[in-house]
Amino acid sequence: MNDTILLAHGSGGKLSHDLVERKFLPLLANPLLDKLDDSAIFEANGRLAFTTDSYVVNPIFFPGGDIGRLAVCGTVNDLSMNGAKPLYLSLSVIIEEGLLIADLERIVRSIKAAADEAQVNIITGDTKIVNQGQADKLFITTSGIGIIPAGIDISGANAKAGDRVILSGTIGDHGIAIMSQREGLRFETFLESDCAPLNKLVAQIVEACPNTHCLRDPTRGGLATTLNEFAKQSNVGIVVEEDKIPVKKEVKAACELLGFDPIYVANEGKLVAIVESGDTNKVLAQMKKNCYGRDAAIIGEVTNDHTGRVIMKTKLGPSRIIDMLSGELLPRIC
Amino acid sequence: MNDTILLAHGSGGKLSHDLVERKFLPLLANPLLDKLDDSAIFEANGRLAFTTDSYVVNPIFFPGGDIGRLAVCGTVNDLSMNGAKPLYLSLSVIIEEGLLIADLERIVRSIKAAADEAQVNIITGDTKIVNQGQADKLFITTSGIGIIPAGIDISGANAKAGDRVILSGTIGDHGIAIMSQREGLRFETFLESDCAPLNKLVAQIVEACPNTHCLRDPTRGGLATTLNEFAKQSNVGIVVEEDKIPVKKEVKAACELLGFDPIYVANEGKLVAIVESGDTNKVLAQMKKNCYGRDAAIIGEVTNDHTGRVIMKTKLGPSRIIDMLSGELLPRIC
């Protein structure tokens, strides 16, 4: 086999079969995938969650992860944010002719490791090849199916006045890690993307508090956009306190240098939970037990005032309205 | 709103929300999609089929369809080939900065029309934007979920000696339509892609013959590759007769001109069914009632000889072994 991807690997014929059989199947093997029919078949009974995301992150390898880990974690997390237990993923890859097969292998290995960590199987997939210059190395689309335990109803529309807003950890790590890799910035400490599967953290939250109202992972658009989505979907106001929001000092420094506000910078391993005031402490205690939630903090509350809007109380000055991200902060961040 | 796609449309912030709310939701609206949570939620009980495919066809508009219709039909068809009734699709779009919003709208309208024809809903989605020159106009990934009726067991591994091979209609229409559009070839008759949702045709086949052994749509790699997949998965031989395979005269002419063999050219609205000899006539009669199966023909049979191989009896000369497609015939055909 050649050491780079050729157009013929996308033909649907012999080279396509070879690529799938040698580079994907041995690593991702499981009984559902191995059947190689047009669809994978499984049994399910109950309320299912279904989600999809495409990943176009640049560079494809970055501190703390790569496009493969990102694609698995992102879809696992989207399922988890409805309280679903992720079960199965699909994996569709668009590859630019000329990609090193060694790079593809490294990404497939990373996909496998992330899927193992999240305890999900990839059961169906597709590969397309485009000519050089018609894509950038590779793009991955993952879709996922999860099952929602009985009695769980988590939605961005469920926030109620009096609820508390909990953030699972520091913000901006992913965006700044990508940016620093891309621009060759150097920081005092080595900053990594927070890219991680949050399904076990969510299972712990939901076990502690089956009545969790909202969960969402603040990816593109950052914390500010997620809070605005909650405020609009639930028709409530949200007030957060700036000095309660955990930000790593190297992220803070990079943001100052680049003119960014960390509340708009993408995360890939964080979640925002909205729970009733009385549930706050038990949820927070549970989150702190998980390695992906040990820096969790209560950052604000839900109000009946200024519905549809998010207000941030600043440390020194007056409160300010926080809008969604309006322009483009960092293209191809995920 | 601007008349071309900007990088900021992929920010995850305000412009992203505007794009989704103005250009996708009004057309694709349904109660599951409209919730706009990270996943869509639905009830299911039974055996489900799950599939995914990315579409990178060039050009994005072609005679008989466009990339949107292709993305819906392709995933509907992959579900159908396991006998599943397609229920829900996801839609993930990677757009090159600079795409005309009018072109995007035309594609979303086409997605809607194809979904309506197939009676499926798009219930979750994603949009990513990449810089100019990092993709080619747009790439679409659709995943799908379908439900398999009780008692149905259709797989490429189920062919048995004595079974008959039925093809639903003429081959090569899609590949030659794309190629002629791309190369500016002109044929006597206006040739269109056969791009179509085959789920109703499959429902009719399965109703007539619940014991249907294999179904597959011969897309990339063409009829020859699909037959080889069956022979290998089922560990049987397959013999087909060249003069039984329906080919339009303009496809035949174009293939002669271009040096292609129609059995390797992609289809997007055809299927191959393998059924027991005694079921052949009732399946064929059912297929001919459907507009997408009116040219259906029995093209061969399954044998115990030369297992794993496909033999074609030619009109005049001797039989020849037909292998999978080995190189790349037409890049970016689907």
Side-chain angles (χ1 to χ4, degrees):
Chain A
M1 191 173 253
N2 298 283
D3 59 357
T4 61
I5 293 289
L6 309 173
L7 268 182
H9 284 120
S11 63
K14 211 177 244 179
L15 271 172
S16 297
H17 281 78
D18 283 355
L19 182 71
V20 169
E21 279 164 21
R22 294 184 196 179
K23 301 300 167 192
F24 288 95
L25 291 185
L27 269 166
L28 303 178
N30 63 70
L32 295 178
L33 180 66
D34 298 348
K35 291 194 77 180
L36 288 186
D37 276 321
D38 282 332
S39 328
I41 296 171
F42 62 94
E43 289 273 344
N45 293 291
R47 268 188 315 154
L48 299 183
F50 182 33
T51 191
T52 193
D53 261 311
S54 289
Y55 296 87
V56 298
V57 66
N58 169 33
I60 58 175
F61 300 105
F62 49 81
D66 57 58
I67 191 169
R69 179 171 172 85
L70 194 64
V72 171
C73 294
T75 289
V76 161
N77 292 348
D78 277 349
L79 291 172
S80 304
M81 299 308 141
N82 285 94
K85 177 185 181 318
L87 299 173
Y88 302 117
L89 300 191
S90 68
L91 174 70
S92 197
V93 186
I94 298 171
I95 306 176
E96 184 189 13
E97 181 191 19
L99 181 77
L100 288 177
I101 288 183
D103 282 350
L104 180 64
E105 281 180 334
R106 190 175 153 198
I107 289 163
V108 176
R109 250 182 248 117
S110 166
I111 286 170
K112 168 66 174 165
D116 283 350
E117 184 185 349
Q119 292 181 287
V120 296
N121 276 323
I122 287 149
I123 64 170
T124 188
D126 185 43
T127 310
K128 292 282 168 21
I129 321 290
V130 298
N131 306 66
Q132 218 149 26
Q134 296 183 339
D136 190 15
K137 294 187 187 70
L138 90 166
F139 301 145
I140 299 181
T141 303
T142 44
S143 301
I145 296 174
I147 187 145
I148 301 177
I152 301 299
D153 174 26
I154 297 172
S155 164
N158 289 353
K160 283 177 189 59
D163 287 355
R164 293 294 186 272
V165 182
I166 308 176
L167 174 64
S168 67
T170 56
I171 57 168
D173 301 11
H174 176 73
I176 297 301
I178 296 287
M179 196 65 187
S180 63
Q181 172 83 353
R182 214 187 277 168
E183 305 295 329
L185 301 177
R186 290 287 171 272
F187 304 109
E188 265 178 46
T189 327
F190 183 71
L191 183 68
E192 289 196 328
S193 164
D194 56 351
C195 180
L198 299 177
N199 50 323
K200 284 167 203 167
L201 179 62
V202 168
Q204 287 165 331
I205 293 171
V206 169
E207 203 192 320
C209 175
N211 185 33
T212 298
H213 288 174
C214 315
L215 289 173
R216 190 157 293 170
D217 51 338
T219 55
R220 277 187 295 182
L223 175 66
T225 300
T226 293
L227 293 175
N228 269 282
E229 287 169 356
F230 284 156
K232 281 168 190 58
Q233 273 185 275
S234 296
N235 201 30
V236 293
I238 292 177
V239 183
V240 291
E241 293 179 53
E242 188 173 30
D243 60 352
K244 298 283 171 64
I245 299 171
V247 188
K248 287 199 173 105
K249 68 175 194 309
E250 48 273 59
V251 170
K252 212 173 274 177
C255 280
E256 275 166 19
L257 191 71
L258 298 163
F260 293 163
D261 186 334
I263 62 172
Y264 291 106
V265 179
N267 311 278
E268 290 292 344
K270 295 295 158 14
L271 64 80
V272 182
I274 295 189
V275 299
E276 282 183 7
S277 152
D279 291 326
T280 315
N281 288 333
K282 67 182 174 194
V283 169
L284 192 66
Q286 272 302 320
M287 288 173 75
K288 283 177 173 292
K289 285 182 196 165
N290 186 299
C291 65
Y292 298 131
R294 62 176 169 240
D295 297 324
I298 302 162
I299 61 164
E301 63 182 311
V302 180
T303 72
N304 269 328
D305 304 329
H306 55 84
T307 54
R309 284 183 185 272
V310 179
I311 304 285
M312 185 147 88
K313 288 189 191 165
T314 56
K315 237 176 295 188
L316 304 169
S319 297
R320 61 183 175 103
I321 292 174
I322 292 194
D323 206 347
M324 283 192 184
L325 181 64
S326 60
E328 174 56 297
L329 200 59
L330 299 167
R332 296 186 54 193
I333 200 67
C334 61
Chain B
M1 191 174 253
N2 299 282
D3 59 357
T4 61
I5 293 289
L6 310 174
L7 268 182
H9 283 119
S11 63
K14 210 177 244 181
L15 270 173
S16 296
H17 281 78
D18 283 355
L19 182 71
V20 169
E21 278 163 22
R22 293 185 196 179
K23 300 300 166 191
F24 287 95
L25 291 185
L27 268 166
L28 303 178
N30 62 70
L32 295 178
L33 180 66
D34 298 348
K35 291 195 77 178
L36 289 186
D37 277 320
D38 282 331
S39 327
I41 295 171
F42 63 94
E43 289 273 346
N45 293 291
R47 268 190 313 153
L48 299 183
F50 182 34
T51 192
T52 193
D53 261 310
S54 290
Y55 296 87
V56 298
V57 67
N58 169 33
I60 57 175
F61 300 103
F62 49 81
D66 57 59
I67 192 169
R69 179 170 173 84
L70 195 63
V72 171
C73 295
T75 288
V76 161
N77 292 349
D78 277 348
L79 292 172
S80 305
M81 297 309 141
N82 284 93
K85 177 186 182 314
L87 299 173
Y88 302 116
L89 299 191
S90 68
L91 174 70
S92 196
V93 186
I94 297 170
I95 306 176
E96 184 190 12
E97 180 192 19
L99 181 77
L100 289 176
I101 287 182
D103 282 350
L104 180 65
E105 281 180 333
R106 190 175 152 197
I107 289 163
V108 176
R109 249 181 248 118
S110 168
I111 287 170
K112 168 66 174 165
D116 282 351
E117 185 185 347
Q119 292 181 286
V120 295
N121 277 323
I122 288 149
I123 64 170
T124 187
D126 184 43
T127 309
K128 292 281 166 23
I129 320 290
V130 298
N131 306 66
Q132 218 150 27
Q134 296 183 340
D136 191 15
K137 294 186 187 72
L138 91 167
F139 301 145
I140 299 181
T141 303
T142 43
S143 301
I145 295 173
I147 187 145
I148 301 177
I152 301 300
D153 174 27
I154 297 172
S155 164
N158 289 353
K160 285 178 187 58
D163 286 355
R164 293 295 187 272
V165 181
I166 308 175
L167 174 64
S168 67
T170 56
I171 57 168
D173 301 11
H174 176 74
I176 298 301
I178 296 287
M179 196 63 188
S180 63
Q181 172 84 353
R182 214 187 276 170
E183 306 294 330
L185 302 176
R186 290 285 171 274
F187 304 109
E188 265 177 47
T189 328
F190 183 72
L191 183 68
E192 289 196 329
S193 164
D194 56 350
C195 179
L198 299 177
N199 51 323
K200 284 167 203 169
L201 179 62
V202 168
Q204 286 165 331
I205 292 172
V206 169
E207 202 192 321
C209 174
N211 186 33
T212 298
H213 288 174
C214 316
L215 290 173
R216 190 157 294 170
D217 51 339
T219 54
R220 278 188 294 182
L223 175 66
T225 299
T226 294
L227 294 175
N228 269 281
E229 288 169 354
F230 285 155
K232 282 168 189 56
Q233 274 185 273
S234 297
N235 202 30
V236 294
I238 292 177
V239 183
V240 291
E241 293 179 53
E242 187 173 31
D243 62 351
K244 298 283 171 63
I245 299 171
V247 187
K248 286 198 173 109
K249 67 174 195 307
E250 47 273 59
V251 170
K252 212 173 275 179
C255 280
E256 275 166 19
L257 191 71
L258 299 163
F260 293 162
D261 186 334
I263 62 172
Y264 291 106
V265 179
N267 311 278
E268 290 292 344
K270 295 295 158 15
L271 64 81
V272 182
I274 296 189
V275 299
E276 282 184 6
S277 150
D279 291 326
T280 316
N281 288 332
K282 67 183 175 196
V283 169
L284 192 66
Q286 272 301 322
M287 288 173 75
K288 284 177 173 292
K289 286 182 194 164
N290 186 298
C291 65
Y292 298 132
R294 62 176 170 239
D295 297 324
I298 303 161
I299 62 163
E301 63 182 310
V302 180
T303 72
N304 269 327
D305 304 330
H306 55 84
T307 53
R309 284 181 184 276
V310 179
I311 305 285
M312 185 147 86
K313 288 189 189 166
T314 56
K315 237 176 296 188
L316 305 167
S319 297
R320 59 181 175 104
I321 293 173
I322 293 192
D323 207 346
M324 282 191 184
L325 181 64
S326 60
E328 174 57 295
L329 202 58
L330 298 166
R332 295 188 55 194
I333 200 67
C334 61

